[in-house]
Amino acid sequence: MQPSPATEGDAALDVDALLQGLAPEIKNYDLAGYTHFRTYDSEWNLNWKLGIDTFLESYHFGVLHKQSIHPILHRNVGAFDAFGENLSLLFARRSIAMLKDQPEAEWDLPKHLASVYILFPTTVLVRQGEHVELWHAFPRGVDAVQFRVTLLISEPAATEAAEAHWTKNLALLLKTVEEEDFPVREGIQQSFKSGDQPHITFGRNEPALHHFHRTVRKALNMPPAAGDSPQ
Ligand SMILES: [Fe+2]
């Protein structure tokens, strides 16, 4: 079934076209079956792109998230795919090891992944475990951004135990991003202000960062960055 165009104000949105090929994969998650748990806003002294960058590689897990998500997720391994301007980046949860002992036909692979999607330019959809996080960046200046995260859960928190479970879940995600990622990013922003570092170089193990920043430049009609050689 073709999704019908949604409208916002006077503008018609063709959701399928905006997802640029991601629609079937996201449809698999059956987001309509999820329930809103909490929405949380915060403001940071950093450029919005630095905020998005934090979702786009995993080798920092073992250093920055040693106590929070590194025990749950493997670092420095992932699967990247571009979908037009959008992208997907799949990280493996440590629980994926248990699939070795199961016939492939029985694998419930998404359960063992943390799936990150950039819906270009400012939205990040993260699906992991039993929840979905929807992050929106609202740029407020060159070095100021508001981030809004909405936590969607797989079933309503109908009991006190469920409420406690999801509250703990939200606390872990806020700790990871708001106590670990974004404060470090604010430090990077401060360093950029000094002007001593005119550019940063992304490694070959950071395809999602390459794609995101190339796409930003293209959207702004800027030439490729110096030294960039798109594959
Ligand atoms: Fe991080």
Side-chain angles (χ1 to χ4, degrees), residues 53-58 60-61 64-65 69 176-177 180-182 185:
D53 286 353
T54 205
F55 295 93
L56 297 184
E57 48 78 14
S58 62
H60 72 282
F61 290 178
L64 192 54
H65 304 312
I69 58 169
T176 305
V177 178
E180 297 171 358
D181 283 313
F182 287 167
R185 299 272 151 180

Side-chain angles (χ1 to χ4, degrees), residues 85-133:
E85 294 173 310
N86 305 320
L87 67 88
S88 79
L89 188 57
L90 310 180
F91 300 127
R93 294 167 70 94
R94 291 182 187 278
S95 62
I96 203 168
M98 70 174 63
L99 297 184
K100 277 193 300 190
D101 303 322
Q102 293 176 12
E104 196 168 332
E106 292 174 17
W107 286 5
D108 182 3
L109 195 55
K111 199 175 164 186
H112 302 285
L113 300 175
S115 311
V116 175
Y117 302 94
I118 300 296
L119 308 180
F120 189 80
T122 54
T123 299
V124 187
L125 175 71
V126 181
R127 198 261 192 189
Q128 59 172 321
E130 304 156 290
H131 79 245
V132 168
E133 304 157 27

Side-chain angles (χ1 to χ4, degrees), residues 6-214:
T7 57
E8 184 181 38
D10 293 332
L13 297 176
D14 183 341
V15 175
D16 220 17
L18 287 169
L19 289 175
Q20 301 179 65
L22 264 177
E25 186 162 332
I26 289 181
K27 198 177 173 189
N28 277 340
Y29 295 142
D30 190 22
L31 294 180
Y34 280 72
T35 301
H36 174 259
F37 183 64
R38 297 274 192 283
T39 294
Y40 183 87
D41 282 283
S42 58
E43 294 189 15
W44 300 89
N45 295 317
L46 54 88
N47 184 274
W48 68 276
K49 298 188 295 298
L50 267 179
I52 300 281
D53 286 353
T54 205
F55 295 93
L56 297 184
E57 48 78 14
S58 62
Y59 64 81
H60 72 282
F61 290 178
V63 179
L64 192 54
H65 304 312
K66 216 170 188 164
Q67 309 295 331
S68 51
I69 58 169
H70 189 230
I72 300 168
L73 291 164
H74 287 289
R75 69 168 179 160
N76 211 17
V77 61
F80 159 79
D81 277 299
F83 290 84
E85 294 173 310
N86 305 320
L87 67 88
S88 79
L89 188 57
L90 310 180
F91 300 127
R93 294 167 70 94
R94 291 182 187 278
S95 62
I96 203 168
M98 70 174 63
L99 297 184
K100 277 193 300 190
D101 303 322
Q102 293 176 12
E104 196 168 332
E106 292 174 17
W107 286 5
D108 182 3
L109 195 55
K111 199 175 164 186
H112 302 285
L113 300 175
S115 311
V116 175
Y117 302 94
I118 300 296
L119 308 180
F120 189 80
T122 54
T123 299
V124 187
L125 175 71
V126 181
R127 198 261 192 189
Q128 59 172 321
E130 304 156 290
H131 79 245
V132 168
E133 304 157 27
L134 194 59
W135 294 84
H136 292 294
F138 299 97
R140 298 297 187 216
V142 170
D143 55 3
V145 64
Q146 177 188 346
F147 266 97
R148 173 171 299 158
V149 59
T150 299
L151 184 65
L152 306 173
I153 58 179
S154 52
E155 52 190 52
T159 64
E160 263 183 43
E163 178 78 17
H165 168 76
W166 290 113
T167 300
K168 197 175 155 194
N169 208 298
L170 178 64
L172 176 63
L173 101 84
L174 291 180
K175 175 181 166 50
T176 305
V177 178
E178 305 218 317
E179 292 182 23
E180 297 171 358
D181 283 313
F182 287 167
V184 166
R185 299 272 151 180
E186 285 191 324
I188 295 170
Q189 186 73 48
Q190 280 297 319
S191 302
F192 285 162
K193 269 188 182 173
S194 73
D196 288 343
Q197 186 182 1
H199 67 273
I200 51 177
T201 302
F202 297 130
R204 290 186 178 193
N205 59 341
E206 300 176 300
L209 285 165
H210 286 275
H211 180 72
F212 175 60
H213 285 273
R214 280 177 188 143

